[in-house]
Amino acid sequence: MLLPRFDYHEPGSVANVCELLSQFKGDGKVLAGGTDLLVNLKKKVFTTANVISVGKIADLKGVDKKNGQVRIGARENVADLAENALVKKTFAALASGAGWLGSPLVRNLATIAGNVVSARPAADLPPSLIAYGAEAVLQKTGGERTVPVESLFTGPGATILAQDELLTAFLLPAPLPNSGAGYQKLGVREALEISLVNVAAFIALDGPDGPIKAARVVLGSVAPTPIRAPSAENALIGEKPSDALFEKAANAASGDSRPIDDFRGSAAYRRAMVGVLTKRALDAALKDARARS
Ligand SMILES: Cc1cc2nc3c(=O)[nH]c(=O)nc-3n(C[C@H](O)[C@H](O)[C@H](O)COP(=O)(O)OP(=O)(O)OC[C@H]3O[C@@H](n4cnc5c(N)ncnc54)[C@H](O)[C@@H]3O)c2cc1C
C-alpha cells in the first residue's frame, strides 16, 4: 500500500503549526508518531493535501511539575511515558496503559496526543487521563482553551478539536492525599492487542483508613467513546473499601457499559469483563493509594 500524494510541512514552532492549520482550512493533518495517521492515509480512510509534522517542536515534549500540576507535552512518546519516573510514581495507571499500548516499535513512535486525538474507543490512554481528571490544552492562532479530556470525545474517531486547533499539552492535577488509581486491559491476546475492554479506576480515601471520598471509574471499548460509570462511582463514595464493596461497584459498572457485538467479542462477554476488570482496577487503585499514603 502506497501513501497518497500530499505536501509535507515541518514547522519549527506551535505558532507556525497553528498558522498552517488555519491557512489549510481543514485540508491539513497534524503528524505526530504517524502510527494512526499514516496507516489511515495508506488505507485511504481519508485524504489530505497537507501533512504538518510536529516532530521538530521541542515545546511539545517533556513532563514537568509546576504549581502542583503535572504537564505532559503532546508529543511525549508512549515508551517514554511508560518509563517516566514521575509518571510511574504519581500516575501509575497512565504509565500502565502506556506500557500496554501496541508493541515496542509502536510505543517508540506513538505519542500521547495522537492516542487521544485518534479517539479510538479502545485506546489505552484516555481512560486513565479521565480517571485522573486531566485537561487538554488546545491552541490556535490568537487563542487557547483548556478542556477536560473527558469532554474531548464525540464519537469513534471524532473529537471537539476545531480544524485549526493543535493539542499542545495535558495538565494533570496533583493527586489528592490517600488516592490511587489502577488500569486494566483485556485483549484477545496478551500483547500487541487493541482492548476488548479496558477500565481505569481512581479512588481517594478520607484518611489512610477512611471511607472513599472521591471515585472515578472509566470504561473503554464498551461505548462509542470512553465513558464514566456513574452507578459504580455512586456505589463507592462514602463507603469504606472492601472486597464486597468493590464487587458491588464492579457489577454496577457492568450495568453502566454499552458494549456492542463485533468480531473481537460479544456484548455479553464484554459486559461481564467490565465487572472483572473494574474489580481488579479498584484493587490496584487501593493498593496504589495505600502505597503512596
Ligand atoms: C500495530 C499497531 C498497534 C497498535 N496498538 C494500539 C494499542 O494497543 N492501544 C492503543 O491505544 N492504540 C494502538 N494503536 C494505535 C496508535 O498507535 C495510537 O493511537 C498512537 O498513540 C497514535 O499516536 P501517534 O503519535 O502515532 O498519532 P498520529 O498517527 O501521528 O496521529 C493520530 C491522529 O491524531 C492527530 N494528532 C496527533 N497529534 C496531534 C496534536 N498534537 N494535536 C492535534 N491533533 C493531533 C493526527 O492528525 C491524527 O489525526 C496501534 C497502532 C498500530 C499501527
Side-chain angles (χ1 to χ4, degrees), residues 14-23 139-141 164 166:
V14 166
N16 289 153
V17 176
C18 294
E19 276 162 25
L20 290 173
L21 285 171
S22 164
Q23 183 186 321
Q139 196 164 326
K140 66 177 182 177
T141 303
D164 58 348
L166 179 73

Side-chain angles (χ1 to χ4, degrees), residues 254-265:
S254 290
D256 286 333
S257 64
R258 293 181 264 128
I260 52 165
D261 295 312
D262 71 9
F263 66 97
R264 287 202 179 88

Side-chain angles (χ1 to χ4, degrees), residues 113-201:
N115 192 248
V116 169
V117 179
S118 300
R120 291 174 177 228
D124 276 305
L125 305 185
S128 299
L129 287 168
I130 296 170
Y132 284 119
E135 296 180 312
V137 182
L138 309 181
Q139 196 164 326
K140 66 177 182 177
T141 303
E144 184 182 284
R145 59 179 174 147
T146 301
V147 296
V149 172
E150 187 176 353
S151 67
L152 279 179
F153 306 102
T154 54
T159 70
I160 62 166
L161 261 78
Q163 58 192 27
D164 58 348
E165 274 182 320
L166 179 73
L167 198 163
T168 56
F170 295 91
L171 305 176
L172 282 77
L176 296 166
N178 304 300
S179 69
Y183 177 71
Q184 295 286 315
K185 168 178 183 171
L186 176 72
V188 173
R189 57 184 182 201
E190 284 204 5
L192 188 47
E193 186 57 294
I194 288 292
S195 300
L196 198 55
V197 176
N198 62 42
V199 177

Side-chain angles (χ1 to χ4, degrees), residues 31-55:
L31 172 70
T35 61
D36 260 317
L37 183 74
L38 298 181
V39 175
N40 284 333
L41 285 173
K42 279 185 180 174
K43 286 186 180 166
K44 306 203 170 19
V45 175
F46 49 73
T47 56
T48 185
N50 297 283
V51 167
I52 308 162
S53 169
V54 292

